[in-house]
Amino acid sequence: MGAKNGEYEHDYSTMAKNEHKVRLLGAWASPFVYRVGLALKLKGIEYEYMEEDLKNKSPLLLESNPIHKKVPVLIHGNNPVSEWVVILEYIEETWPENHLMPQDPYDRATTRFWSKFIDDKFIPTLGMVLKTQGEEQEKAMKEAEEALKTLKRGGLKGKFFGGEAISIVDISASCLSIWFEVLGEAIGTKFIDSEKFPLISSWIEEFTSIDLVKESFPPRDKLRAYHKSLL
């Protein structure tokens, strides 16, 4: 029996709606998931956030990211995109308004360099501080301090890493704000001293004063408790 015209119209409109639907699979404490969510908000893109239990991963996550089985995963319509850097570039190319990357090829390459530098130098530090104690933990913190000196010299160009507007480098460096601050509180230290790193400290203050940025952070007390549970 054939479907009525109204049913065809309903099916077509549902398919058209799903074609443009944006979903983000994530975990609330992940700085990588935060980066993607912030990029979507800065672009003004409506999306559905879906919290994953990483100890009991959903079939949707396993199907959408079968290789790494990790978050974040962006699903645009029926097309999944994984790995936060790849996702942010996909977002930039799909929704070009409110640019998060410069248009000049050299400047784009520089942006990619500093984003990778931040991930290579600071994200492992978070893991090492959580997993180690004593000399190993102190070594990780010293390495982070050296990386901060490099970032200060080469990466920070103005009010933001992108100059006067937030760029992907600022989004990458969001881990230096609440995540490093809360981890420092959890172990009784301070990662970023305002006297040693006044420019980085000023950037954190400027970046976290933006309502959209601030409202997107996970609850501070909950994040602190989470870090303490991992120590």
Side-chain angles (χ1 to χ4, degrees):
M1 177 182 261
K4 297 178 181 178
N5 288 341
E7 291 174 347
Y8 280 127
E9 289 172 6
H10 174 74
D11 290 344
Y12 180 79
S13 63
T14 301
M15 289 172 62
K17 184 178 180 181
N18 288 339
E19 184 182 352
H20 299 288
K21 186 176 182 180
V22 179
R23 289 172 286 172
L24 174 60
L25 309 185
W28 69 271
S30 167
F32 302 106
V33 173
Y34 172 82
R35 290 166 171 178
V36 175
L38 180 58
L40 289 168
K41 290 174 181 176
L42 289 169
K43 290 275 190 179
I45 301 163
E46 291 187 10
Y47 68 97
E48 177 186 357
Y49 176 72
M50 304 174 73
E51 178 73 15
E52 282 286 335
D53 179 356
L54 298 183
K55 294 180 180 178
N56 184 26
K57 297 172 182 178
S58 73
L60 181 59
L61 173 58
L62 298 177
E63 179 186 337
S64 301
N65 190 4
I67 297 175
H68 298 298
K69 303 177 177 64
K70 294 180 179 179
V71 293
V73 174
L74 183 80
I75 305 175
H76 184 202
N78 294 315
N79 299 322
V81 186
S82 56
E83 299 299 314
W84 84 267
V85 174
V86 179
I87 294 172
L88 260 65
E89 293 210 12
Y90 176 84
I91 290 171
E92 178 75 357
E93 292 171 4
T94 305
W95 296 279
E97 58 275 9
N98 302 327
H99 289 296
L100 297 175
M101 292 190 75
Q103 300 306 292
D104 179 77
Y106 178 76
D107 291 340
R108 287 174 79 90
T110 303
T111 294
R112 290 188 181 99
F113 172 85
W114 286 112
S115 293
K116 189 174 187 304
F117 176 86
I118 289 165
D119 267 6
D120 289 347
K121 297 297 182 181
F122 296 111
I123 295 298
T125 298
L126 285 169
M128 287 299 293
V129 171
L130 287 168
K131 294 175 185 176
T132 61
Q133 293 181 343
E135 290 183 3
E136 286 186 81
Q137 192 179 73
E138 288 178 12
K139 181 183 176 183
M141 292 174 66
K142 285 179 181 178
E143 288 175 355
E145 186 170 313
E146 289 303 311
L148 281 170
K149 291 177 183 177
T150 302
L151 186 63
K152 177 189 69 173
R153 287 195 301 268
L156 194 55
K157 300 298 184 183
K159 184 165 66 172
F160 299 109
F161 285 96
E164 293 304 305
I166 290 177
S167 74
I168 283 180
V169 183
D170 297 281
I171 294 173
S172 303
S174 60
C175 64
L176 301 178
S177 55
I178 185 172
W179 277 271
F180 265 49
E181 289 174 6
V182 168
L183 181 58
E185 292 168 8
I187 64 174
T189 190
K190 194 170 185 178
F191 276 99
I192 302 176
D193 189 312
S194 59
E195 292 185 4
K196 284 185 180 179
F197 302 103
L199 290 178
I200 300 291
S201 297
S202 295
W203 169 82
I204 291 173
E205 186 176 343
E206 187 73 41
F207 181 71
T208 57
S209 68
I210 299 169
D211 288 340
L212 195 60
V213 171
K214 188 165 48 179
E215 291 164 5
S216 302
F217 282 138
R220 193 182 190 92
D221 291 344
K222 186 179 179 182
L223 189 61
R224 186 188 299 111
Y226 174 74
H227 280 162
K228 285 186 175 180
S229 73
L230 296 176
L231 287 169

